[in-house]
């Protein structure tokens, strides 16, 4: 069966999603939505960076795209600084009867116990009204800290602690809004950026912790946060701009699911803008990795290394997020209406083997 898909936005993740949709044998690109007038009318192949046209012109007319009655929308618009607008977009699409796989807002990956019902309720109501499904996922939050750790616990006799780490150098991640405005890199250490405001880490990654707990049948007592930042030893440059000496250049944070006074499920990020920063913090395997540590009987450590075809680990992360969504389209279209989580869906394999 072929599923007709609309790609919603063509940024860092969206471009990779377009390439993935074109490569997937069960998907057909029906339309492309763009927010920039400069992109309207351009062929999807050009927007994806391909050397050939895909025969679909981009448009900013959302009504026209929904009128095509696609089976699914791949929604990759940034929501970090426009959460309510993104929720409004999702509700509009779902209410029209179109399924959605989305990279944001990330708390919708598993919102129960993470955000108040008034933030997830409208999405659930729209899905019920339109008889459609929504699946929010990616690589992180997503595959690296839902399917992967739960699969690893499946070979445990006893589980005492599950820790999911992202250990990456973000220097080549060309997204200034995320690096500077949200994460606070390049900013004074005595100023608290958006990401580190009280409760924001839990809003972003508490869904990860809650979902693992649900998968293991554990009722957590609470979720706590902690973080630490280090300054740049001298001025240097990254893809998104300049990091001045003394400003934030390395960040380590944890979102900790607590039980009986101890952390039992932990989401940890170790983010550097140079490999030589914070040498005593966890180090990646390869150029960058996601690491799952299961402590119990026996102990396990699983490293998922990232490397794109261009030799860059951040490219691989963007493509992984895109393909987690693209490959999920058939399962989401066939699922019952509602807000879906990784616990609701079957194993989602890729479809590019030997093509």
């Amino acid at each position: 069966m072929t599923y007709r898909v609309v790609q919603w936005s063509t940024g860092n993740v969206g471009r990779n999603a377009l390439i993935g949709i074109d490569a997937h044998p069960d998907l057909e690109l029906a339309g492309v939505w763009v927010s920039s007038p400069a992109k309207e009318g351009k062929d999807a192949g050009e927007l994806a960076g391909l050397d050939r046209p895909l025969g679909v012109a981009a448009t900013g007319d959302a009504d026209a795209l929904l009128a095509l009655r696609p089976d699914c929308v791949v929604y990759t618009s940034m929501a970090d600084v426009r959460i309510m607008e993104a929720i409004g977009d999702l509700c509009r699409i779902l209410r029209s009867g179109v399924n959605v796989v989305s990279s944001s807002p990330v708390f919708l990956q598993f919102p129960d116990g993470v955000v108040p019902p008034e933030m997830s309720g409208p999405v659930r109501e729209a899905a019920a009204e339109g008889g459609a499904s929504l699946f929010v996922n990616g690589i992180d939050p997503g595959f690296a800290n839902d399917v992967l750790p739960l699969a690893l616990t499946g070979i445990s006799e006893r589980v005492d602690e599950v820790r999911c780490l992202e250990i990456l150098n973000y220097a080549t991640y060309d997204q200034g809004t995320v690096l500077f405005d949200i994460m606070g890199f390049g900013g004074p250490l005595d100023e608290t950026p958006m990401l580190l405001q009280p409760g924001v880490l839990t809003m972003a990654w508490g869904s990860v912790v809650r979902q693992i707990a649900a998968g293991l049948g554990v009722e957590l007592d609470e979720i706590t946060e902690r973080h630490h930042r280090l300054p740049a030893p001298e001025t240097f440059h990254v893809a998104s701009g300049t990091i001045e000496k003394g400003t934030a250049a390395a960040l380590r944070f944890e979102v900790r699911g607590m039980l009986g006074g101890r952390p039992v499920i932990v989401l940890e990020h170790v983010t550097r803008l140079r490999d030589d920063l914070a040498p005593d913090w966890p180090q990646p395997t390869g150029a960058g990795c996601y690491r799952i540590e299961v402590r119990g009987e026996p102990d396990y450590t699983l490293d998922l290394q990232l490397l794109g075809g261009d030799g860059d680990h951040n490219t691989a992360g963007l493509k992984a997020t895109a393909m987690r969504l693209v490959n999920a389209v058939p399962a989401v279209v066939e699922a019952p209406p509602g807000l879906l989580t990784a616990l609701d869906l079957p194993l989602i394999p890729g479809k590019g083997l030997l093509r």
Side-chain angles (χ1 to χ4, degrees):
M1 180 176 178
T2 300
Y3 301 90
R4 299 174 64 248
V5 176
V6 164
Q7 173 58 41
W8 205 281
S9 88
T10 58
N12 284 335
V13 176
R15 290 194 299 272
N16 283 291
L18 275 174
I19 297 170
I21 292 167
D22 177 60
H24 199 293
D26 299 333
L27 303 183
E28 174 189 338
L29 183 65
V32 179
W33 182 88
V34 290
S35 59
S36 169
K39 292 183 178 181
E40 291 192 44
K42 291 190 175 182
D43 186 85
E46 179 183 355
L47 295 175
L50 296 173
D51 58 2
R52 55 186 172 80
L54 295 182
V56 177
T59 178
D61 189 340
D63 289 331
L65 290 174
L66 295 179
L68 296 173
R69 303 296 300 165
D71 295 297
C72 193
V73 163
V74 180
Y75 186 91
T76 57
S77 292
M78 177 183 284
D80 296 338
V81 294
R82 49 181 294 278
I83 290 176
M84 298 316 296
E85 292 91 337
I87 289 177
D89 290 343
L90 296 177
C91 288
R92 177 185 186 184
I93 298 168
L94 292 166
R95 197 172 288 113
S96 74
V98 178
N99 302 286
V100 186
V101 292
S102 177
S103 57
S104 58
V106 293
F107 58 78
L108 289 176
Q109 179 193 14
F110 194 87
D112 296 336
V114 178
V115 295
E118 53 264 31
M119 295 192 73
S120 59
V123 175
R124 286 190 163 104
E125 292 168 7
E129 183 179 335
S133 294
L134 168 66
F135 179 56
V136 176
N137 217 259
I139 183 66
D140 181 353
F143 178 82
N145 34 57
D146 57 31
V147 170
L148 210 55
L150 288 174
L152 190 57
T153 64
I155 51 173
S156 295
E157 174 187 306
R158 187 189 75 250
V159 176
D160 297 329
E161 178 187 326
V162 177
R163 181 175 293 262
C164 305
L165 299 94
E166 177 190 89
I167 312 173
L168 294 178
N169 182 328
Y170 273 27
T172 59
Y173 181 46
D174 193 4
Q175 180 33 279
T177 298
V178 173
L179 260 65
F180 300 139
D181 300 339
I182 296 175
M183 300 184 74
F185 285 117
L189 290 175
D190 58 358
E191 292 183 3
T192 303
M194 174 182 169
L195 184 67
L196 302 180
Q197 295 289 334
V200 174
L201 287 174
T202 296
M203 186 176 183
W205 282 277
S207 58
V208 166
V209 173
R210 293 286 185 191
Q211 184 165 224
I212 294 174
L216 295 175
V218 174
E219 186 68 34
L220 297 172
D221 296 331
E222 62 175 336
I223 293 180
T224 64
E225 308 169 353
R226 65 181 185 181
H227 69 268
H228 184 52
R229 294 192 289 169
L230 292 177
E234 65 266 337
T235 298
F236 63 94
H237 302 283
V238 297
S240 294
T242 300
I243 307 299
E244 299 288 346
K245 180 180 178 178
T247 64
L251 168 65
R252 183 180 185 182
F253 68 76
E254 292 183 354
V255 181
R256 311 163 86 207
M258 308 296 290
L259 182 64
R262 66 182 183 90
V264 293
I265 301 172
V266 181
L267 183 285
E268 179 178 357
H269 274 210
V270 177
T271 310
R272 301 175 172 88
L273 296 186
R274 263 184 18 188
D275 289 338
D276 63 334
L277 298 175
D280 56 326
W281 291 1
Q283 297 289 337
T285 300
C289 76
Y290 289 97
R291 178 171 297 154
I292 310 300
E293 297 177 348
V294 176
R295 298 293 170 251
E297 181 54 42
D299 288 345
Y300 295 114
T301 298
L302 175 66
D303 279 2
L304 174 65
Q305 296 186 52
L306 286 77
L307 196 64
D310 60 356
D312 185 68
H313 55 281
N314 284 309
T315 300
L318 294 170
K319 191 169 289 290
T321 289
M323 293 314 302
R324 177 64 171 157
L325 302 177
V326 169
N327 287 328
V329 167
V332 171
V333 172
E334 299 301 329
L339 178 55
L340 305 173
T341 76
L343 302 179
D344 300 313
L345 295 177
L347 177 67
I348 299 170
K351 281 297 188 81
L353 184 64
L354 301 179
R355 289 191 68 229

